[in-house]
Every structure is written in structure tokens, then in C-alpha cells.
Amino acid sequence: MSHSSSPAAPRRILVLGGARSGKSAFAENLADEAGGAVRYLATAVPDPDDHDFAERIAQHRSRRPANWSTVESADPAKVLAESTNRPSVLLIDDIGTWLTARIDAREAWEAPRGTISPDTDALVAAVAAYPGDLVIVTPEVGMGVIPATRSGRLFRDEIGILNQRLAQTCDEAYFVVAGLPLRLK
């Protein structure tokens, strides 16, 4: 982000990576480097019976500085569209958990591809229109084996298309592998 005294144009940054790649930590560092207020939008919906996922959420929470504000289980398109008092940076972590929740909400796991297009279209439009600095974390899942289940293939296809659209909308994009960021754009 910008450290100059004159107001810089807002930046939208997409951070992609696989599971445990370091993408969230890298995105958090980008947001922190901007200085000022950070609003952290956590898209995960905790399941009290999933102790492993609860531990992952706890690790993410423990890394956040105390002065960051956090909104949990929120719809990023809605938060982006309603943000009038924008912070220095809005950090969304992550698009994969949001997408899963949207597929669940539309009961679209067995539906035709594109059933969740209204949701993904709204997200891309909100990202494009957001007037402030934005860092978006999203999983890259298209580099592994072809999923054995229809639901796995659906998620891979939907997140792949959405990631392409977000990358086109964002000003910068990074791919994080083994904790190392590679600038794509």
C-alpha cells in the first residue's frame, strides 16, 4: 500500500495459494504494512464439532493485531457494497470458505454449473466498485489431481473461474507457495 502523504489511488490485491501455503500470513503482512486501521473480514462459519477447523480459526485470530477490527461469517459483497467509513485496508480471508457457504445456501452441489453466478457476479462487481484498499485471500485448487467427486469438481471449477475474474479486477495478484510470494501482476 502507499506510505506517501498524498492520497494514493486505492489498490485491490488478490493473494492466491494452496492449503497451508502462507497466503493468509502474507496477506496480513500486506494489510499491516499499509499502516492505519485494518478491517478483517473472516468468511469462515465455524462448526463447533470440527475441532481441526476451529484450531485453524484460532491460529488466524491469534495472529491479528489487537487494533484490527474483525467481522466474522459475513458476506464480502454486502460488506464491500455497504462500506462508507472505509478503513485503510479491508482484508477478506477467504473466498473459498465464502464460496462453499454460498453453494450450501443455494443447495447447488448437485445443480448445474453457474447456479451461484448471481453471488459471484455480485462479489466481482463489489470488488471492482470498492473505493478503498482491499486484500483478498483465495485458494488455488486447480493444480492438484482431478477431484474424485462431483462436489469437488464443482468447487474446483467455480473457484477457478471466480479467481480468474477477481485477478482481472484486482490491480495486483500474488501466488504464495511454501510461504514465498510470487508476484503475478
Side-chain angles (χ1 to χ4, degrees), residues 129-179:
Y130 187 67
D133 289 332
L134 183 59
V135 180
I136 304 168
V137 179
T138 189
E140 174 53 61
V141 298
M143 298 177 74
V145 297
I146 295 173
T149 64
R150 183 187 193 292
S151 59
R153 291 187 299 273
L154 171 75
F155 180 81
R156 181 210 48 205
D157 293 352
E158 294 288 357
I159 195 73
I161 292 165
L162 180 55
N163 284 347
Q164 289 181 53
R165 294 178 67 199
L166 290 171
Q168 290 172 352
T169 302
C170 288
D171 306 300
E172 298 175 35
Y174 293 87
F175 182 56
V176 181
V177 179

Side-chain angles (χ1 to χ4, degrees), residues 48-168:
D49 295 328
D50 188 341
H51 301 292
D52 179 60
F53 194 57
E55 177 60 30
R56 291 179 88 144
I57 291 171
Q59 289 174 358
H60 279 247
R61 285 178 179 153
S62 71
R63 283 198 314 250
R64 289 180 216 146
N67 64 331
W68 287 16
S69 65
T70 302
V71 177
E72 295 188 343
S73 306
D75 179 355
K78 185 176 180 182
V79 171
L80 289 166
E82 293 175 352
S83 292
T84 53
N85 293 334
R86 60 185 170 91
S88 294
V89 178
L90 177 61
L91 171 60
I92 302 172
D93 194 358
D94 95 350
I95 298 302
T97 54
W98 170 81
L99 182 67
T100 299
R102 295 313 309 146
I103 295 171
D104 285 346
R106 289 193 179 268
E107 299 178 350
W109 290 107
E110 299 300 324
R113 299 290 194 273
T115 299
I116 60 163
S117 291
D119 301 300
T120 56
D121 290 349
L123 177 63
V124 172
V127 167
Y130 187 67
D133 289 332
L134 183 59
V135 180
I136 304 168
V137 179
T138 189
E140 174 53 61
V141 298
M143 298 177 74
V145 297
I146 295 173
T149 64
R150 183 187 193 292
S151 59
R153 291 187 299 273
L154 171 75
F155 180 81
R156 181 210 48 205
D157 293 352
E158 294 288 357
I159 195 73
I161 292 165
L162 180 55
N163 284 347
Q164 289 181 53
R165 294 178 67 199
L166 290 171
Q168 290 172 352

